[in-house]
Amino acid sequence: MAPQERAAGVGRDEVFQVEGHGIDPIPDTERHGSAKDLFWLWFGSNLTFTYVINGALAVAFGLSFWQATAVVVIGGLLFFAISAAGLSGVRTGTATLVISRAAFGVRGNWPAGLLNWVVSIGYTIVNTVVGTLALEAFFADLGWGGGAVARAVALAVTLTLTFAVALWGHATVQFAERWMAYALALGFAALLVFVLPGADTAAPATGPGASGWSLAFVVMLAGPFSYLPMPADYTRYLPRATSLKALTWSGALGGFLSSVALGVAGVAAATQTDMADAVAGAEGLLPGWFQPLFLALVLGGSVTNSIITLYSSSLNLQVLGIPWSRARAIVISAAVTALGSLGALFLTDFTTSLLSFLSLLIIVFAPWGGVFLADMVLRRCAYDSEALHAGARGAYWYRAGWHPAGMAALLAGMLFAALTCDSELWTGPLVAPLGGADLTLLGAVVSALVYLLLARHTVAPNGVAPSRPEGSPAHP
C-alpha cells in the first residue's frame, strides 16, 4: 500500500478539525453517522443556481413548461442511482475512484481519474465564478464600490468560504452542508413562490423536435451524472450495517428535491423573461427588496456545490498517486481553482471555452459510469478492500494493471458517445441522420451492456476478482 494510503493514529472525523484520513480504508472503530446524514449532504450541495440555468435551457431548446418540467423530474430521479452507488463506500471504507480500480484495473483507472480531477476543478471554477459575480453584484447594491477591486474581493471571499470547509474535511463538509441548506432552502422556496405563479404553461407553436428533447435530457441528466465518481467519498465513514435501502432513499430524496425545485424555477422563469443571462433574468422577476437576498442565495449555492467537488478532488489526487495527505493535496486543487477563476473573471472568453470543454468530456464519463455501475451490480457491491490498495500485488492488477473487459467496454461506450455527440467543439457523424438528436448519455448504457457481456463469467458476485492470466502477480 502506498504511504499516503496509510493513516495510522489519525484523529477522529470531527467538525472543525482537519480530517486525517484520505483514501485509506476507514477502520470500523472510526465509523459513525447514519444514512439520514446523506439527505442533507445531497440536498444542500444541490441547492445551486446551476439547476435554475438548466431548467431555463430546457425551455430555450423549445420545450413547453410541462415538457421541460417532466425532463427536470426525470433528471432528478437519477439521484437514486447516484445514492445507491454510495453502498460501495460503506462496504470498503474508501473513495469511489479507488473502488473503480476493480472495474478498470489499477492502471486502467488512472486516465479516468485524471479526467475526473479536471472535471471537478472545472466545475468548481464555474461555480466560483458564478458566486463571485453574485457577490460583486451584492456589493454594488450596497454601494460598496465596483470594478476590478470589488471583483477581486468577491473572489477572495468565495474561495475562502469554499476552501476552509473542504480543508477541514468530511465531518465539517457534512456540518456545513446541513446548516447552509436550512437557509438556502428557505430562500430558494421564496424564489419559487415568486416565479412559479407567472409561468406560461401554454405549449409553443412548434414542438422541440428530436434535437430539443435530446439536448434537454443531456443538460438535466449530466448534472446528477457528474456526481457518479463521488458518492463513496461521503459514505465511507458510515457503519457497515448501514442498509442499501436507507442509504439510497436518504441521499436520493435530498438530491431530487433540491434539483427538481430549482429546475422548475428555471423553467418557470424562462417562460416569462429572457434567461440568456440567467442571474439577471431571474432577478428581474423578483421584488426589489428580495433581490439582494437572491444574490446571496446564488453565492451560497455556488459555495455548497464547490465544497463537495473540491473535497473529492483532494481524494482524487491521492488516487492519482500524489504522495501527500488529503489536506495537503487539496491545496493543489484550491490553487488551480483560484488561477482558473482569475482567468474566467478577467479573460472574457475563458468561461465559454471551459464550459464547452467540460461538456465534451461527457463522452468519457458517461461510458465510465456505465462500466462502474455494471461492475457494482455484478459484484453485488462486494469488493476485496485490501486488494483495492495493493497495486501490482493485488487481485485488481489484471493484465499489467489493465482490466481488458472494463477497458473494452469503456472504449465501446466512448465510440458510441463520440458518434452521437452534439457539442460546440464536436458534432458526431450520426447526429444529422438521427434528426439532430444528441445521444451521448446512452454511451453509459452501451458500455454497461458490453461490460456485462464480457465480464459476466469472470466477475464473481461475492467480490472475488476475475480469474488472473497465467504468470501475473497473485494476490498476497
Side-chain angles (χ1 to χ4, degrees):
M1 186 182 295
Q4 75 271 17
E5 296 186 7
R6 291 289 189 192
V10 298
R12 290 179 58 83
D13 181 41
E14 297 179 354
V15 177
F16 302 130
Q17 292 189 18
V18 176
E19 176 191 3
H21 284 295
I23 62 174
D24 53 296
I26 307 301
D28 288 346
T29 55
E30 297 184 32
R31 302 286 190 101
H32 63 90
S34 65
K36 66 182 180 182
D37 296 330
L38 296 176
F39 173 86
W40 294 108
L41 176 82
W42 292 112
F43 182 72
S45 62
N46 284 284
L47 286 170
T48 172
F49 194 73
T50 301
Y51 288 106
V52 177
I53 297 173
N54 290 347
L57 283 173
V59 175
F61 294 144
L63 275 66
S64 70
F65 174 86
W66 293 113
Q67 290 170 336
T69 297
V71 173
V72 167
V73 171
I74 293 171
L77 291 174
L78 189 56
F79 277 103
F80 280 88
I82 303 302
S83 189
L87 182 63
S88 60
V90 175
R91 295 280 178 84
T92 63
T94 192
T96 304
L97 283 169
V98 174
I99 300 164
S100 61
R101 290 169 176 170
F104 300 98
V106 176
R107 287 176 172 168
N109 189 59
W110 200 90
L114 177 61
L115 287 176
N116 182 70
W117 181 78
V118 171
V119 170
S120 296
I121 295 302
Y123 280 114
T124 304
I125 291 171
V126 172
N127 275 321
T128 300
V129 169
V130 171
T132 298
L133 294 176
L135 185 56
E136 181 186 9
F138 182 79
F139 288 163
D141 286 348
L142 296 178
W144 292 355
V149 174
R151 179 166 293 187
V153 171
L155 174 60
V157 171
T158 305
L159 286 172
T160 299
L161 290 172
T162 304
F163 175 70
V165 175
L167 176 65
W168 270 316
H170 175 266
T172 309
V173 168
Q174 288 197 319
F175 176 85
E177 293 291 351
R178 174 190 287 265
W179 286 99
M180 291 180 74
Y182 294 154
L184 291 173
L186 289 174
F188 279 119
L191 171 68
L192 195 60
V193 169
F194 289 131
V195 302
L196 193 56
D200 181 2
T201 59
T206 58
S211 176
W213 278 106
S214 65
L215 289 172
F217 273 110
V218 167
V219 167
M220 295 311 306
L221 293 173
F225 207 94
S226 67
Y227 290 119
L228 192 53
M230 300 183 191
D233 301 1
Y234 303 100
T235 60
R236 69 194 203 283
Y237 278 95
L238 292 178
R240 291 184 188 272
T242 305
S243 72
L244 173 61
K245 180 179 179 181
L247 179 148
T248 301
W249 277 95
S250 294
L253 283 177
F256 177 84
L257 290 175
S258 51
S259 65
V260 169
L262 296 189
V264 171
V267 172
T271 65
Q272 303 172 64
T273 188
D274 181 7
M275 292 287 283
D277 182 340
V279 173
E283 188 178 15
L285 298 174
L286 303 174
W289 64 267
F290 187 75
Q291 290 177 4
L293 294 177
F294 166 72
L295 295 173
L297 290 174
V298 176
L299 169 64
S302 298
V303 169
T304 60
N305 193 260
S306 292
I307 285 171
I308 68 167
T309 54
L310 190 62
Y311 174 80
S312 287
S313 75
S314 64
L315 299 177
N316 198 159
L317 286 175
Q318 287 192 309
V319 174
L320 293 174
I322 298 295
W324 287 357
S325 68
R326 182 207 60 83
R328 290 181 65 191
I330 205 171
V331 175
I332 298 176
S333 295
V336 176
T337 298
L339 290 174
S341 299
L342 284 169
L345 288 165
F346 295 99
L347 301 175
T348 55
D349 62 342
F350 182 87
T351 303
T352 300
S353 299
L354 178 62
L355 285 170
S356 298
F357 172 68
L358 293 173
S359 67
L360 190 63
L361 290 184
I362 199 170
I363 292 176
V364 177
F365 282 101
W368 180 92
V371 175
F372 177 65
L373 292 176
D375 185 73
M376 283 184 58
V377 171
L378 285 177
R379 298 179 193 276
R380 298 180 187 173
C381 214
Y383 299 89
D384 184 336
S385 297
E386 287 295 325
L388 288 171
H389 299 269
R393 298 177 295 105
Y396 301 122
W397 187 249
Y398 303 108
R399 296 180 183 271
W402 304 80
H403 186 197
M407 299 310 298
L410 176 64
L411 291 174
M414 288 175 59
L415 176 61
F416 178 88
L419 291 173
T420 59
C421 175
D422 184 13
S423 71
E424 290 188 16
L425 298 180
W426 167 258
T427 300
L430 295 184
V431 172
L434 290 170
D438 184 336
L439 304 182
T440 313
L441 287 173
L442 289 182
V445 177
V446 171
S447 64
L449 292 175
V450 172
Y451 187 77
L452 292 172
L453 178 66
L454 296 178
R456 69 188 189 282
H457 296 308
T458 56
V459 173
N462 63 357
V464 177
S467 56
R468 304 178 61 80
E470 185 177 351
S472 60
H475 188 277

